[in-house]
Amino acid sequence: MKILGIGSNYVTDLKDIEEKKKGKKFIFSKPESSLAINRDVAYPSEITNELIYEVELVVKIGKEGKNITKEDANTYISEIAVGIDYTATDILKNARETKHPWEFAKGFDGAAPISSFKPVSNYNLADIDFDLKINGVEKQKSNTAYMINDFADIIVFISKYMTLQPGDLIFTGTPSLGKGEIFKGDHLQCSVNGELLLDFKMI
């Protein structure tokens, strides 16, 4: 299984999308051991004291593909979930300063909490609402209409470089506003189209 993510993929104003599409896409990866499926997550205090949350829709690939076309790209999605992309920001800052890889900042145990998956047929991919509440307070909210690179764009881009295989997961970007620091004891709840799919605590 590959777990991949795309950075900086949402806008707050639809008119900005076309201009933003001209920018470079950047992809990062997380190991399978970073997954935490529908369970509480231990705060990784032994490695970081600056943990940042980002809520994201996660797509699961259902069939193998390489050099996938834009027209066919969405047919490679089998299921959708919602998840959190955690970043140990202090580790990330050090990695950037030393020009080292990001793996330890993005790939520690518990860095990818996700919900169970739902069939892609449940959703209109161009119009999915999703949000994150922490301790009952809404922190992030957006809709897939505000994506700079939509699901198909992401799949096309990745498949130029690597073969996508059944079970691969792609974190598809976070709303442009609201990401912030998470703390031990926080209660996170993520919904998709108003349905609560992910409900866990940092312990």
Side-chain angles (χ1 to χ4, degrees):
M1 176 198 291
K2 295 186 287 294
I3 304 173
L4 304 170
I6 186 168
S8 300
N9 198 34
Y10 276 78
V11 296
T12 56
D13 193 323
L14 294 175
K15 68 178 176 59
D16 294 331
I17 290 177
E18 287 307 313
E19 183 62 30
K20 294 286 187 179
K21 274 185 178 289
K22 298 174 185 176
K24 290 185 178 180
K25 303 176 186 67
F26 66 93
I27 301 293
F28 59 88
S29 65
K30 292 174 179 274
E32 187 173 354
S33 56
S34 68
L35 284 178
I37 303 172
N38 280 327
R39 63 173 173 83
D40 292 341
V41 175
Y43 191 101
S45 54
E46 70 281 5
I47 63 167
T48 183
N49 57 14
E50 191 177 355
L51 192 62
I52 300 299
Y53 63 81
E54 299 175 69
V55 65
E56 308 198 13
L57 292 173
V58 183
V59 299
K60 181 187 287 186
I61 298 300
K63 58 183 179 180
E64 185 170 305
K66 171 72 174 174
N67 292 320
I68 298 167
T69 65
K70 179 70 181 275
E71 294 73 24
D72 292 338
N74 284 340
T75 70
Y76 285 79
I77 302 171
S78 61
E79 298 173 276
I80 291 179
V82 65
I84 302 291
D85 169 23
Y86 275 139
T87 305
T89 305
D90 44 0
I91 298 176
L92 180 62
K93 289 176 182 175
N94 183 65
R96 284 173 168 167
E97 287 171 359
T98 56
K99 298 183 179 180
H100 286 173
W102 292 9
E103 273 79 358
F104 289 150
K106 289 280 193 180
F108 53 87
D109 291 352
I114 63 169
S115 69
S116 299
F117 282 84
K118 298 280 188 176
V120 68
S121 57
N122 289 7
Y123 303 102
N124 172 3
L125 298 183
D127 183 21
I128 304 175
D129 290 317
F130 64 109
D131 64 73
L132 164 67
K133 294 181 175 68
I134 300 177
N135 302 325
V137 178
E138 186 174 275
K139 295 293 185 178
Q140 289 190 280
K141 182 177 183 178
S142 197
N143 180 284
T144 52
Y146 289 83
M147 298 177 86
I148 298 166
N149 300 288
D150 62 20
F151 297 137
D153 291 330
I154 298 168
I155 289 169
V156 168
F157 180 72
I158 291 172
S159 73
K160 288 180 181 178
Y161 296 90
M162 58 183 74
T163 299
L164 287 170
Q165 298 171 309
D168 287 348
L169 306 181
I170 305 174
F171 281 69
T172 58
T174 197
S176 56
L177 298 176
K179 71 178 183 179
E181 192 169 359
I182 203 75
F183 299 95
K184 188 172 182 177
D186 282 344
H187 180 195
L188 295 87
Q189 296 174 300
C190 304
S191 297
V192 178
N193 287 346
E195 179 183 5
L196 180 63
L197 295 186
L198 181 59
D199 188 348
F200 72 100
K201 291 181 179 180
M202 297 300 298
I203 57 175

